[in-house]
Amino acid sequence: MLSRIYIKNFALIDALDVSLHNGLQVITGETGAGKSIILGALRLILGERADLKSIAKAEEKSVVETEFQLDNQFKKFFIENDLDYEHQTIIRREILPSGKSRAFINDVPVTLDVLRTLSSQLIDIHSQFETSNLFTPEYQFKIIDGLSENKVLIEEYQQNFAEFQSFKTLLKKLQTQLSESTKEGDYKQFLLNELEELSLDDIDYEELQNQLSVQENAGMISENLAQILSRFHEEEIGILSFFNEAKNKLSKIAEVSQAFSELDQRLEESFVEIKDIIAELEDESENIEIDPEHLQKLSQLDSRLNMMFLKHNVQNLQGLKEIRDQIAGEQQGSAELEQQIAHTESQIQKKEKSLQTLAEKLSKNRKKNIPVFVKKAEDLLKKLGLEKAKVDIDLQLANEYNLFGKENIQLLFQANSGFPLRPIQTAISGGERSRVMLAVKKIIAESDMLPTLILDEIDTGVSGKVAEEIGNLMREMSADMQLIVISHLAQVAAKGNNNYKVVKEDVNGKTQSKIIVLSDQEKLNEIAQLLSGSRITEAALAQAKELIG
């Protein structure tokens, strides 16, 4: 319930602070007094766009603050949005002189999306010019689902529908990824095969280069080794003979002079080392083999590797391995994509079965309650002066699942007898819209907990008995909800549990709007004035008393 409205520095309002109550709250006032300004301020609470022109004093901020009495059903919203739940919750909107606006829930800054989500569950503002939502499938489903007590069922369906849509979106994304991957798949597989054929993990690149160098220079190596070994082994001037002779002579000197012992030892060691070197050279000489076939294989492998280096723009064998692993991963990713697609398609099928079951239950409940809606609506419209009006709801099977099931809806209407029912948006006149909407709101109020409903002059253009019935209807609606009505009808004002009047006055040469809480006597005078005009007559007072009853 909306329990308080505070407005500061907004249009013609310097400061306004009014408390509201449960039941029927009626606001009256002359045209142009500022009733629409109050509604405009409340629309800021609903998250509508803030206009810098609304600031009366340009150097000060504009503030609209509302206080609501909430029950525990809203706790979940506060928890999900990391807000402190308060039974008395304050929603505030500020427009700064810079033009920026800020929103707060219980003094915690929030985004406009969060503000809208909460306030849309608390206030429903409807004016005589706002009946277009009656023409929307969403609103028409809301009417019949309320009567059909489909609230829990529609919530379950819409949860499944959201998941169904999410899976369909995911499937489309995966299929796109697979399609793009498939376009390059054959070429990438060719590259992968090309790299895998090289057996990169078995190649020692340095050893390959060494073997290739040896094979390419085998003749030169063999020739030089032969010459080296020949020098060592020549009998007359060979190095071994020379070393052996020198070693023997130095040994004799060392026997007689201790000073040469160390040199003798060193020469001995060198002689042993040279013999080892010669032995290894002889082994290597024997191993050197000119193998044209092996050389060709080594050359071909080296050429293929160099070609791969250039092709993949890498500098070494490790770079090729990384490219190979990357392509292998991508190819594996394609296989995983196919698995994900299969799994997602399976989930879609499961969700579709759930949707089918729930949609059939929704449809069954709706069709069962269409006659209930027709009778209620036509009875209310007769009271509201549309004695010949006929209504119906047409449900047709849809090609695809939508947010409300697998059917399309049309609210049908005809104000005059003898003519066929037509979709309401093409059949209803301007004078009938408000009364039809009021009847619909009454039906919804009976079957669903509506938020605070604010009706702005939707009773315009009626009088007499119809006006009396509108007042009675609003009083009935307010028994189960808070109903705030802006009206020019005495018959409606007379039914108010609490009455308020918006007036304009001159304060220090500046026009300002304010709202006055009417006492019982002031309410009587206001109703009489609505009946007789600016001059209140005794007859008008008597009629006002009769209306109040």
Side-chain angles (χ1 to χ4, degrees), residues 123-306:
I123 311 176
D124 179 5
I125 299 178
H126 179 78
S127 75
Q128 59 175 320
F129 306 109
E130 293 176 329
T131 51
S132 58
N133 55 352
L134 184 61
F135 305 150
T136 65
E138 293 81 5
Y139 199 84
Q140 294 172 13
F141 274 119
K142 180 180 179 180
I143 297 168
I144 192 61
D145 281 333
L147 269 177
S148 306
E149 298 181 351
N150 276 340
K151 181 178 180 182
V152 174
L153 196 58
I154 194 70
E155 286 177 354
E156 183 181 357
Y157 172 86
Q158 289 180 347
Q159 176 63 34
N160 277 269
F161 181 72
E163 293 170 359
F164 175 71
Q165 291 293 90
S166 178
F167 280 126
K168 286 181 70 176
T169 300
L170 175 60
L171 177 62
K172 187 175 181 180
K173 178 182 176 182
L174 292 173
Q175 288 173 334
T176 300
Q177 290 177 353
L178 182 61
S179 175
E180 292 174 352
S181 176
T182 302
K183 289 177 183 178
E184 301 178 357
D186 292 342
Y187 178 62
K188 286 187 176 180
Q189 188 61 48
F190 167 76
L191 294 178
L192 180 61
N193 293 341
E194 199 174 41
L195 290 170
E196 287 181 337
E197 285 172 2
L198 289 171
S199 300
L200 299 175
D201 294 326
D202 298 332
I203 297 175
D204 184 333
Y205 189 70
E206 289 184 4
E207 179 60 23
L208 169 65
Q209 295 302 311
N210 180 57
Q211 289 186 29
L212 182 60
S213 180
V214 168
Q215 281 296 312
E216 288 176 339
N217 298 281
M220 180 272 291
I221 294 172
S222 294
E223 183 180 346
N224 281 279
L225 283 176
Q227 291 177 3
I228 292 170
L229 292 172
S230 175
R231 292 287 185 181
F232 277 117
H233 291 297
E234 283 183 3
E235 291 184 4
E236 294 182 3
I237 58 171
I239 295 175
L240 281 178
S241 298
F242 172 77
F243 252 98
N244 191 44
E245 182 181 348
K247 181 178 74 66
N248 291 332
K249 290 180 178 181
L250 188 57
S251 294
K252 289 178 180 181
I253 296 171
E255 288 175 1
V256 297
S257 176
Q258 190 67 29
F260 292 94
S261 295
E262 184 180 349
L263 291 172
D264 180 49
Q265 180 65 31
R266 287 169 62 188
L267 185 61
E268 176 67 28
E269 291 172 357
S270 297
F271 183 59
V272 171
E273 178 67 16
I274 285 175
K275 286 197 295 184
D276 286 343
I277 291 172
I278 291 170
E280 288 187 25
L281 288 174
E282 287 174 343
D283 289 340
E284 290 294 336
S285 178
E286 291 175 3
N287 291 332
I288 293 297
E289 180 183 356
I290 299 175
D291 186 348
E293 186 177 341
H294 185 51
L295 174 60
Q296 184 180 14
K297 288 181 180 179
L298 291 174
S299 297
Q300 287 176 345
L301 179 57
D302 185 57
S303 295
R304 289 180 67 189
L305 287 174
N306 285 322

Side-chain angles (χ1 to χ4, degrees), residues 470-505:
I470 287 177
N472 290 333
L473 196 59
M474 289 180 176
R475 188 63 180 265
E476 287 178 26
M477 291 172 66
S478 69
D480 301 313
M481 62 183 295
Q482 183 188 43
L483 180 59
I484 301 172
V485 177
I486 296 174
S487 178
H488 290 291
L489 286 180
Q491 293 89 335
V492 172
K495 304 299 180 183
N497 297 108
N498 301 92
N499 288 67
Y500 310 83
K501 183 174 183 178
V502 178
V503 297
K504 279 198 301 189
E505 59 183 9

